[in-house]
Amino acid sequence: MSDDEFLLLNPGPVPVTDAVRESMDAPMVSHRSADFEDVYARAQSGIEYVFEHSTPDGRANDAAGTGLVLNGTASLGMEAAVSNLVDPEDEVVALVNGKFGRRFARIAERYADTTRIEAEWGGCFDLDAIEAAVTDDTALVTMVHNETSTGILNPVEAVGELATENDARFVVDGVTSVGGDVFRPDAWNVDIAVTDAQKALAAPPGLSAVYVAEDAEAHLDGERGPFYADLPRHLDKAADDQTPFTSAVPLFRALAVAVEEIESEGMETRIARHRAQAAAFREGFSAMGLEKFPDLDGASDYSNTVTSVSLPDSVREAPEEFFGAVSERNVSISGGQGHLGGEIFRVSNMGHHADDQVLRGIRTVGEALSDVGFDADVEAGLDAARNEL
């Protein structure tokens, strides 16, 4: 094992700062105390800042909505969004081109009549097919903005226009984009957006957040879904800086610090940093002789927070040897999910990674590939990455 400090490059959970980690060590307080209400107010304010200022210039967009912090990971937020907006006889159109689009569809299928519009994992959606599927009978459209399983950035704005034209609600998984890339709930006609503490917000796992557009509140019915996911009840309690149920106090403290750190950096700076580092990963691996994984033949782009790369054919014969060689260097990366296991690897630049950590990740991958017999041009990869930083 390398003597170098451990480097976590998985796409969640991501590293947290010392201040975030230390915030969890304070004495316990009641979740109904004034102390906790202050923590909730800080976390909620920061969440709303991120949702409302994720623009290229950092200026606030025209969003009008409420951020809610939920005691559960983003799957809870996804289920809350769907279940509060549809009845069993309603029609949902679920867009699937990766694991988390599929999860959205599976959730929707529990609550309504659901039609999937599918593309290959890592492939682009056919906007004409979506336009044909979304009609006046459609109650809800679900979509993943940044598909974590494949590293593809999907065209939320275009789909939001189609949903609005047909008076359908639009729910978006922004789990690995919110906090690290542009996200426009107003301009993209998003009714409910979902994100997760453990991703680009750089907080510990266990909490998620939703942003409920003001116009969407009239369409919510908390009795349609799980008791724990009653969004109107969450909105009522949030007005008093509370949650309906017992809150994970240390995790709320950590999230409050994490979003305050984001606001201190500023979303404009944060987005620019994430985009530069993602470009460094992409160009570095390409110069090394590797192929980018997502197939961008349509209205999509490469992710700016998760980089997916195809493993060379020779490495696919025994991918565990490659991942073992990475681990021996005290670096952690992710493989593919589902049927992509053994075919791709994924790295993340979400959170507060320094540029030299990105370069270390590129070098580590190159050296590990060389260890297992692939002729990786490590120095060319590093030079290309430096040009992007």
Side-chain angles (χ1 to χ4, degrees), residues 230-254:
D230 184 333
L231 289 182
R233 193 174 181 196
H234 279 274
L235 286 165
D236 287 343
K237 295 297 289 185
D240 296 322
D241 298 324
Q242 286 282 348
T243 63
F245 312 106
T246 304
S247 299
V249 174
L251 296 181
F252 274 79
R253 286 171 169 161

Side-chain angles (χ1 to χ4, degrees), residues 325-383:
V326 171
S327 181
E328 288 174 0
R329 291 167 169 81
N330 219 14
V331 174
S332 180
I333 65 174
S334 291
Q337 296 180 303
H339 65 275
L340 295 178
E343 295 187 10
I344 66 172
F345 71 86
R346 296 174 297 140
V347 294
S348 160
N349 56 294
M350 288 184 283
H352 299 276
H353 286 301
D355 289 351
D356 62 351
Q357 292 176 309
V358 173
L359 295 173
R360 180 182 165 196
I362 293 168
R363 177 180 293 279
T364 294
V365 167
E367 291 175 348
L369 287 169
S370 297
D371 283 356
V372 297
F374 179 77
D375 186 16
D377 193 337
V378 179
E379 293 308 316
L382 291 170
D383 288 344

Side-chain angles (χ1 to χ4, degrees), residues 21 67 89 107 134 147 167 173 182 203 215 218 229 231 240 252 274 281 315 323 363 384:
R21 178 175 50 79
E89 66 273 14
I107 291 170
V134 179
E147 179 55 72
D167 197 29
D173 170 341
V182 171
D215 292 344
L231 289 182
D240 296 322
F252 274 79
H274 278 78
F281 270 135
V315 178
F323 288 106
R363 177 180 293 279

Side-chain angles (χ1 to χ4, degrees), residues 21-189:
R21 178 175 50 79
E22 291 165 2
S23 71
M24 294 186 287
D25 196 34
M28 186 58 61
V29 299
S30 168
H31 66 289
R32 297 299 181 214
S33 66
D35 285 344
F36 178 77
E37 289 174 1
D38 176 66
V39 170
Y40 187 94
R42 289 165 52 207
Q44 182 186 44
S45 175
I47 285 294
E48 291 181 343
Y49 165 80
V50 174
F51 274 112
E52 295 172 359
H53 290 76
S54 292
T55 58
D57 57 10
R59 290 185 292 182
N61 57 45
D62 295 327
T66 302
L68 299 173
V69 184
L70 305 180
N71 282 279
T73 57
S75 294
L76 171 63
M78 296 162 76
E79 184 165 26
V82 172
S83 64
N84 279 247
L85 286 172
V86 296
D87 288 317
E89 66 273 14
D90 283 336
E91 176 188 287
V92 176
V93 173
L95 309 185
V96 180
N97 67 341
K99 176 179 178 178
F100 297 99
R102 184 181 67 182
R103 178 171 298 179
F104 237 156
R106 287 176 168 172
I107 291 170
E109 287 162 355
R110 294 192 171 204
Y111 293 98
D113 182 15
T114 302
T115 298
R116 297 189 186 195
I117 302 298
E118 301 198 55
E120 293 291 330
W121 285 27
C124 299
F125 288 115
D126 181 343
L127 291 178
D128 290 337
I130 298 171
E131 183 174 12
V134 179
T135 69
D136 290 342
D137 294 326
T138 304
L140 178 68
V141 179
T142 67
M143 187 178 196
V144 174
H145 182 211
N146 193 81
E147 179 55 72
T148 314
S149 64
T150 64
I152 195 168
L153 194 64
N154 288 316
V156 168
E157 182 174 11
V159 176
E161 291 177 0
L162 294 174
T164 300
E165 288 171 3
N166 292 277
D167 197 29
R169 307 281 71 76
F170 188 35
V171 176
V172 176
D173 170 341
V175 167
T176 50
S177 56
V178 173
D181 204 357
V182 171
F183 195 90
R184 299 290 306 273
D186 59 334
W188 299 348
N189 301 300

